[in-house]
Amino acid sequence: MTSSSDRSLAVDVPAPKSYEIRTYGCQMNVHDSERLSGLLEDAGYVRAPEGSDGDADVVVFNTCAVRENADNRLYGNLGRLAPKKVSRPGMQIAVGGCLAQKDRDTIVKKAPWVDVVFGTHNIGKLPVLLERARVQEEAQVEIAESLEAFPSTLPTRRESAYAAWVSISVGCNNTCTFCIVPALRGKEKDRRTGDILAEIEALVGEGVSEITLLGQNVNAYGSDIGDREAFGKLLRACGTIEGLDRVRFTSPHPRDFTDDVIAAMAETPNVMPQLHMPLQSGSDTVLKAMRRSYRQERYLGIIEKVRAAIPHAAITTDIIVGFPGETEEDFEETLHVVREARFAQAFTFQYSKRPGTPAATMEDQIPKAVVQARYERLVALQEEISWEENKKQVGRTLELMVAEGEGRKDGATHRLSGRAQDNRLVHFTKPEQEVRPGDVVTVEVTYAAPHHLLAEGAVLDVRRTRAGDAWEKRTAEKTAESAGVMLGLPRIGVPAPLPVATGSGCGCD
């Protein structure tokens, strides 16, 4: 029972402001959004419930400029939020990322209801810019021309309790004619090896058991200090971290893929037998026009060396169809490389003009109908190869890290899903004992489809892990927060993690 004196001491505590982040594009943007979430939560905001669809107090668009119609998509989404902003005094809208870096003042001119525009180099300023816009009651546009602080120094709200991105570099020194990323992310800047390893060790201490080293051109790491073997050394150093079970990286560039990296992959037990190696085209003529500094022979030579050193490696790629000037003979060369390389998966893209890139103004732009027909032929060939390669997995015993949210039909089929060491997706029969995301199971593959495997028999082994413990702890905390602590204080709820982007994202590696 509450006394009159208790009631007299009661005060109204304003509910914290909510935020929603909408992320477009590559893994770098996904990771940047983790930073933005961390910054906002450090500033006292709480994430809006999943599916809030613009009902948050602050809506942040983390944009991508790779696609031709990226700006139309952004302005369409901004337009749909304009009536909500009118009906909700105090609501704020922020636009960041690559498109913000590129368009700058244009965004506020086309969508004057936007409160903040920030670029790829100053994501750490978002909370300050939001507050400044609120106080001054006018839009704040702040675009830094160079990196102010390495993003990994910023607070982070990790989307997964058991797997994490770790950025080792930002920017890119390449000049591919189809890609605008270097102009928006800037020249490559490498992070100190000691800082990278310290972050990984801290993550492992929190329960993370899988990390993905992230960079726009990840295996060019070391260019700042002139050490061409720095990336291989970093992989080997990751192998010495106790409790780190799986190491992946994305995305490398064939130009910088050296033999010491292949040796480090083969000789470091926790570096996974998986490689995402962007091809873009199999034609030497097109590769030259793209300013890709390798040719078909060099590319296939890397694949051959990787397969010799790591026989069970799953190799994936990016391919662009219909680059300006691509002939039927050029396209046939791409099909030839696909047949020779036998990729586990290929992320295929129809060429679209990226405004501000040299390729956008090239002559001999390929008609849409031709691009579509070639794209369909490429997809059909790769589907056939993916299925054949997956069929080779039938009968194999695989160790899976149980995943969260990977199997859309898991509830209906009474299955769980996990990733094999080579990153293949496997749906498996749910065992009687409890299995948590981050735990490890051993299964036998019984069926193969082009994009996944099935293990329909009983699970052979279940290994509970610290990563599973971390997932369980986070889930319990979320449940407690959602239920609320009855102390007269506002409730702070943290929704379920969003799914992590797959593939290389923009295809501009």
Side-chain angles (χ1 to χ4, degrees):
M1 183 173 180
T2 305
S3 67
S4 58
S5 60
D6 289 335
R7 286 196 296 271
S8 65
L9 294 174
V11 294
D12 291 329
V13 180
K17 292 183 179 295
S18 60
Y19 74 91
E20 173 191 346
I21 298 179
R22 302 185 186 182
T23 307
Y24 306 93
C26 65
Q27 295 99 324
M28 194 69 74
N29 270 16
V30 173
H31 190 36
D32 281 351
S33 288
E34 291 185 328
R35 304 289 181 198
L36 294 171
S37 294
L39 285 160
L40 290 172
E41 292 186 11
D42 252 25
Y45 294 84
V46 297
R47 179 176 280 192
E50 192 171 354
S52 59
D53 192 25
D55 289 331
D57 296 304
V58 173
V59 179
V60 183
F61 291 86
N62 190 5
T63 64
C64 172
V66 166
R67 293 295 172 200
E68 183 178 12
N69 295 319
D71 53 348
N72 293 336
R73 185 179 185 185
L74 171 65
Y75 295 122
N77 287 325
L78 290 175
R80 283 187 285 275
L81 282 186
K84 291 192 175 186
K85 194 169 191 295
V86 171
S87 65
R88 293 190 60 192
M91 178 184 178
Q92 291 185 296
I93 300 172
V95 179
C98 289
L99 193 62
Q101 187 80 21
K102 181 173 79 73
D103 283 0
R104 305 176 185 236
D105 296 327
T106 305
I107 293 173
V108 174
K109 290 177 182 177
K110 289 188 175 182
W113 54 92
V114 169
D115 299 275
V116 171
V117 179
F118 62 101
T120 59
H121 299 310
N122 63 330
I123 64 175
K125 290 289 185 67
L126 177 59
V128 172
L129 294 173
L130 287 169
E131 183 61 23
R132 192 186 302 164
R134 186 177 293 114
V135 171
Q136 298 182 6
E137 298 184 341
E138 64 179 11
Q140 301 296 308
V141 179
E142 187 169 310
I143 306 291
E145 296 301 329
S146 59
L147 193 67
E148 293 184 347
F150 205 95
S152 292
T153 63
L154 301 173
T156 306
R157 182 194 187 280
R158 301 278 179 182
E159 299 296 352
S160 170
Y162 55 89
W165 306 105
V166 175
S167 183
I168 70 170
S169 65
V170 294
C172 180
N173 294 335
N174 294 320
T175 58
C176 301
T177 55
F178 57 81
C179 182
I180 199 169
V181 169
L184 304 178
R185 291 276 181 181
K187 291 291 186 182
E188 180 178 325
K189 183 173 179 59
D190 294 336
R191 192 175 171 199
R192 289 183 62 251
T193 303
D195 292 342
I196 296 169
L197 296 175
E199 180 181 358
I200 295 172
E201 289 172 350
L203 288 167
V204 171
E206 294 168 4
V208 168
S209 61
E210 176 178 308
I211 60 103
T212 300
L213 302 175
L214 186 63
Q216 217 74 51
N217 183 8
V218 70
N219 61 322
Y221 178 75
S223 62
D224 274 359
I225 57 176
D227 184 357
R228 284 180 53 82
E229 296 189 351
F231 184 65
K233 293 173 184 175
L234 178 60
L235 290 179
R236 293 182 186 277
C238 288
T240 66
I241 298 177
E242 187 175 353
L244 179 59
D245 294 337
R246 295 185 172 193
V247 177
R248 306 186 192 277
F249 57 89
T250 193
S251 287
H253 192 294
R255 182 196 67 184
D256 301 298
F257 210 86
T258 49
D259 290 350
D260 67 291
V261 171
I262 297 173
M265 290 176 65
E267 296 165 11
T268 309
N270 63 356
V271 175
M272 294 295 96
Q274 172 219 351
L275 174 64
H276 183 79
M277 178 71 78
L279 169 65
Q280 308 303 7
S281 174
S283 162
D284 288 355
T285 301
V286 174
L287 288 171
K288 182 178 180 181
M290 289 178 168
R291 290 188 198 151
R292 300 287 286 182
S293 50
Y294 55 89
R295 299 296 178 258
Q296 181 188 120
E297 183 179 4
R298 159 76 172 153
Y299 186 93
L300 288 175
I302 294 171
I303 301 299
E304 183 178 355
K305 288 180 179 179
V306 170
R307 288 249 160 82
I310 315 167
H312 290 299
I315 301 174
T316 57
T317 196
D318 294 331
I319 301 173
I320 296 173
V321 177
F323 188 80
E326 180 188 73
T327 65
E328 179 62 23
E329 291 73 19
D330 292 326
F331 179 65
E332 287 291 344
E333 288 297 309
T334 295
L335 297 181
H336 169 71
V337 175
V338 170
R339 293 187 187 100
E340 290 293 311
R342 301 196 64 78
F343 300 113
Q345 297 286 342
F347 301 92
T348 53
F349 304 86
Q350 296 185 40
Y351 172 77
S352 62
K353 293 180 181 178
R354 280 80 160 173
T357 64
T361 57
M362 286 181 175
E363 296 180 354
D364 297 325
Q365 300 284 329
I366 310 300
K368 173 64 176 175
V370 175
V371 177
Q372 180 67 33
R374 289 177 183 171
Y375 175 80
E376 290 174 1
R377 288 163 59 194
L378 173 60
V379 169
L381 174 61
Q382 182 56 53
E383 288 276 303
E384 178 185 330
I385 292 172
S386 294
W387 200 358
E388 290 173 355
E389 291 301 305
N390 273 359
K391 286 176 182 177
K392 295 177 182 177
Q393 304 297 312
V394 174
R396 288 192 65 198
T397 298
L398 301 180
E399 189 175 80
L400 314 179
M401 179 178 290
V402 181
E404 182 176 39
E406 291 263 30
R408 289 174 295 177
K409 299 179 181 178
D410 282 352
T413 59
H414 304 290
R415 294 179 179 135
L416 297 176
S417 298
R419 290 280 173 177
Q421 290 186 328
D422 63 8
N423 209 37
R424 282 183 165 91
L425 178 63
V426 184
H427 306 301
F428 62 95
T429 302
K430 188 175 182 178
E432 291 185 5
Q433 67 188 98
E434 181 189 23
V435 178
R436 308 160 302 176
D439 285 340
V440 174
V441 299
T442 303
V443 300
E444 182 178 324
V445 177
T446 58
Y447 176 81
H451 301 289
H452 68 268
L453 303 171
L454 291 182
E456 299 163 299
V459 170
L460 304 177
D461 184 58
V462 174
R463 176 163 59 87
R464 291 173 68 87
T465 66
R466 291 173 61 254
D469 294 342
W471 178 88
E472 188 171 24
K473 179 181 178 183
R474 178 186 281 199
T475 303
E477 289 171 350
K478 288 192 297 185
T479 301
E481 288 169 350
S482 297
V485 180
M486 305 307 291
L487 297 175
L489 299 175
R491 293 186 297 177
I492 301 176
V494 183
L498 296 172
V500 176
T502 57
S504 69
C506 63
C508 59
D509 306 287

